[in-house]
């Protein structure tokens, strides 16, 4: 194989593949990227057996062929090269590859392309066309609520619900739940519910162009996302997402409106003296004010008072500061609403005046 590609073209595709390649794996070939060159250009493929990404790069191909190179090291080399043409040439033995640009030249060891796993074939029929900006919002507003516990595999992803006139995504870790709905069509007749793994969500989010469209399809065991000439392949999670509707409280009879920036800043300051393990901050509701407090016996305590419009009874609710921060960091509205019933029942946070989407964030109080 011998080809010449522009640095920026090659670097862009290699950067997208970095999230796919596993740093720690027991199968050496999975640390490599598969490079296939023919007269139409260059195709690159990386996989960890659960998630794979195939992309294309414009190049002048002198000799066609297929080889593999260490993905991380190739990315580092290309990143360090000047903005010029890069030559990649396989030696006659097929055991090493020359990478050269300007006055720089290097040789890298390769592994046999025959050892690289064959990806599943893309489903022939496109099931839905997902607007890029809407899908990016769904992902950014829910992925932090996915559980990090491997044992709860049915919560190791977010549920994507497609209907003819709206798209929703739901994620939960058992302590909080994020539900966002965008009133945009995924295509006539689009109707589907599918559980998307955490890594798949992250990689789809990196591929999305706000103005573009992501074509979604699925096979028996895999999901496929195609956009801008790139194809992301994901193994399905063999599990059923829980009945999330039951978690959303319907009887919260008290509410407080906050200025989002002031609340976010107060939580950020007060949490500095919260317990490092529990990360607990307490919302102390009183007449026309909410005092946010935290304390750690061996360190100290902090509090900040926020003026609000509240005439209900005095109450204290304790929340994990991370959970509150996650919500406040993704909403764009000037004000947010906290709905609650008592100290032990689920509370709900929502943006006020959100444009084009509905966002419900259920958060369980802490018992301290």
């Amino acid at each position: 194989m011998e080809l010449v590609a522009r640095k920026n073209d090659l670097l862009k595709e290699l950067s997208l593949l970095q999230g796919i390649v596993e740093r720690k794996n027991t199968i050496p070939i999975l640390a490599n990227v598969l490079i296939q060159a023919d007269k139409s250009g260059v195709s690159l493929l990386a996989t960890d057996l659960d998630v794979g990404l195939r992309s294309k790069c414009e190049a002048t191909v002198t000799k066609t062929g297929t080889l593999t190179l260490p993905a991380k090291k190739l990315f580092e080399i290309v990143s360090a090269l000047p903005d010029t043409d890069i030559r990649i040439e396989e030696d006659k033995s097929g055991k090493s590859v020359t990478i050269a640009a300007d006055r720089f030249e290097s040789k890298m060891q390769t592994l046999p392309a025959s050892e690289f796993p064959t990806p599943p074939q893309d489903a022939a029929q496109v099931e839905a066309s997902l607007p890029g900006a809407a899908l990016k919002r769904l992902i950014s507003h829910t992925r932090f609520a996915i559980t990090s516990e491997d044992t709860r595999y049915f919560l190791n992803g977010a549920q994507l619900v497609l209907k003819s006139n709206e798209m929703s995504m739901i994620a939960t870790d058992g302590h909080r739940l994020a539900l966002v709905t965008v009133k945009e069509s995924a295509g006539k007749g689009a109707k589907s519910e599918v559980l998307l793994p955490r890594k798949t969500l992250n990689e789809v989010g990196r591929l999305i162009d706000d103005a573009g469209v992501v074509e979604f399809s699925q096979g028996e065991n895999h999901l496929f996302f195609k956009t801008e000439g790139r194809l992301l392949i994901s193994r399905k999670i063999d599990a059923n997402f829980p009945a999330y509707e039951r978690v959303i409280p319907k009887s919260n009879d008290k509410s407080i409106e906050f200025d989002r920036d002031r609340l976010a800043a107060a939580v950020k300051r007060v949490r500095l003296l919260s317990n490092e393990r529990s990360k607990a901050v307490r919302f102390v509701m009183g007449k026309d004010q909410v005092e946010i407090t935290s304390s750690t016996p061996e360190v100290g305590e902090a509090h900040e008072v926020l003026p609000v419009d509240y005439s209900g009874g005095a109450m204290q609710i304790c929340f994990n500061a991370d959970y509150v921060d996650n919500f406040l960091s993704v909403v764009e509205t000037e004000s947010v609403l906290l709905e609650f019933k008592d100290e032990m029942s689920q509370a709900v946070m929502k943006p006020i005046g959100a444009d084009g989407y509905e966002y419900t964030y259920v958060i369980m109080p802490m018992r301290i």
Side-chain angles (χ1 to χ4, degrees):
M1 177 199 290
E2 185 176 351
L3 62 91
V4 175
R6 292 293 300 175
K7 172 192 171 172
N8 289 341
D9 293 340
L10 185 57
L11 185 63
K12 183 176 183 180
E13 303 309 320
L14 289 174
S15 66
L16 292 172
L17 296 174
Q18 296 307 298
I20 304 293
V21 177
E22 285 293 333
R23 297 289 180 263
K24 300 176 182 178
N25 63 72
T26 57
I27 307 175
I29 194 67
L30 296 183
N32 283 22
V33 55
L34 180 72
I35 304 175
Q36 298 172 300
D38 57 32
K39 294 302 181 181
S40 65
V42 175
S43 171
L44 300 100
L45 174 65
T47 182
D48 66 356
L49 298 182
D50 288 323
V51 182
L53 176 62
R54 184 187 293 279
S55 66
K56 294 182 179 180
C57 175
E58 290 188 9
T60 301
V61 178
T62 307
K63 293 181 182 178
T64 61
T66 303
L67 56 81
T68 74
L69 286 172
K72 184 173 185 294
K73 191 59 66 178
L74 178 61
F75 173 71
E76 291 173 348
I77 290 174
V78 173
S79 297
L81 290 175
D83 186 10
T84 185
D85 288 341
I86 297 175
R87 178 172 59 88
I88 299 176
E89 182 179 357
E90 186 179 21
D91 71 2
K92 292 182 180 180
S93 69
K95 294 182 179 180
S96 68
V97 176
T98 298
I99 300 168
D102 201 9
R103 299 182 181 182
F104 171 85
E105 184 174 301
S106 66
K107 284 187 179 293
M108 294 181 67
Q109 299 300 308
T110 183
L111 291 174
S114 59
E115 295 182 7
F116 203 88
T118 302
Q121 289 297 312
D122 183 11
Q125 184 177 358
V126 175
E127 193 166 313
S129 297
L130 313 177
L135 183 57
K136 182 174 284 189
R137 183 185 297 280
L138 295 182
I139 294 172
S140 66
H141 284 51
T142 56
R143 62 183 170 189
F144 51 78
I146 299 173
T147 186
S148 57
E149 298 176 17
D150 291 338
T151 54
R152 307 180 74 182
Y153 62 92
F154 56 92
L155 298 181
N156 279 335
Q159 182 85 338
L160 175 64
V161 180
L162 301 177
K163 298 180 181 178
S164 58
N165 61 344
E166 67 179 34
M167 304 159 49
S168 299
M169 189 168 283
I170 312 98
T172 181
D173 59 8
H175 303 287
R176 34 86 181 265
L177 179 145
L179 163 63
V180 59
T181 298
V182 178
K183 298 294 184 180
E184 288 199 39
S185 173
K188 188 176 181 180
K191 187 177 182 182
S192 182
E193 293 191 18
V194 60
L195 187 54
L196 306 183
R198 175 201 294 270
K199 184 170 181 176
T200 301
L201 280 180
N202 291 336
E203 297 309 318
V204 170
R206 295 177 67 207
L207 294 178
I208 292 173
D209 178 352
D210 284 357
V213 172
V214 179
E215 293 182 346
F216 167 69
S217 57
Q218 55 181 320
E220 185 177 351
N221 299 309
H222 291 86
L223 309 170
F224 303 92
F225 300 86
K226 185 182 293 184
T227 182
E228 303 291 325
R230 304 181 183 100
L231 176 65
L232 186 82
I233 306 161
S234 170
R235 191 184 299 275
K236 288 182 177 180
I237 297 178
D238 186 18
N240 294 320
F241 199 73
Y244 62 89
E245 298 93 342
R246 300 176 185 174
V247 178
I248 302 173
K250 304 293 192 296
S251 59
N252 286 358
D253 55 357
K254 304 175 184 65
S255 64
I256 298 176
E257 182 176 330
F258 291 93
D259 178 279
R260 179 182 63 87
D261 289 342
R262 293 187 68 177
L263 177 59
V267 172
K268 183 177 181 179
R269 286 187 286 263
V270 171
R271 68 171 298 171
L272 294 174
L273 289 179
S274 66
N275 182 282
E276 290 186 3
R277 185 173 181 180
S278 70
K279 302 173 184 176
V281 293
R282 194 180 302 274
F283 283 49
V284 183
M285 288 74 164
K287 181 172 175 54
D288 291 335
Q289 73 169 40
V290 173
E291 183 179 17
I292 301 175
T293 72
S294 70
S295 65
T296 306
E298 62 273 17
V299 178
E301 61 182 36
H303 64 94
E304 184 165 340
V305 175
L306 297 177
V308 297
D309 182 11
Y310 178 68
S311 57
M315 192 177 301
Q316 299 185 21
I317 307 179
C318 198
F319 296 121
N320 183 311
D322 277 350
Y323 297 172
V324 179
D325 276 345
N326 290 155
F327 169 80
L328 296 174
S329 66
V330 295
V331 294
E332 304 95 342
T333 58
E334 292 183 0
S335 302
V336 296
L337 188 69
L338 173 66
E339 299 175 339
F340 55 98
K341 181 180 180 182
D342 52 46
E343 291 91 340
M344 305 311 299
S345 301
Q346 299 102 312
V348 175
M349 301 186 79
K350 297 179 179 179
I352 297 176
D355 185 18
Y357 71 100
E358 297 175 2
Y359 189 24
T360 300
Y361 189 66
V362 181
I363 180 170
M364 287 294 297
M366 300 178 69
R367 302 184 181 187
I368 295 180

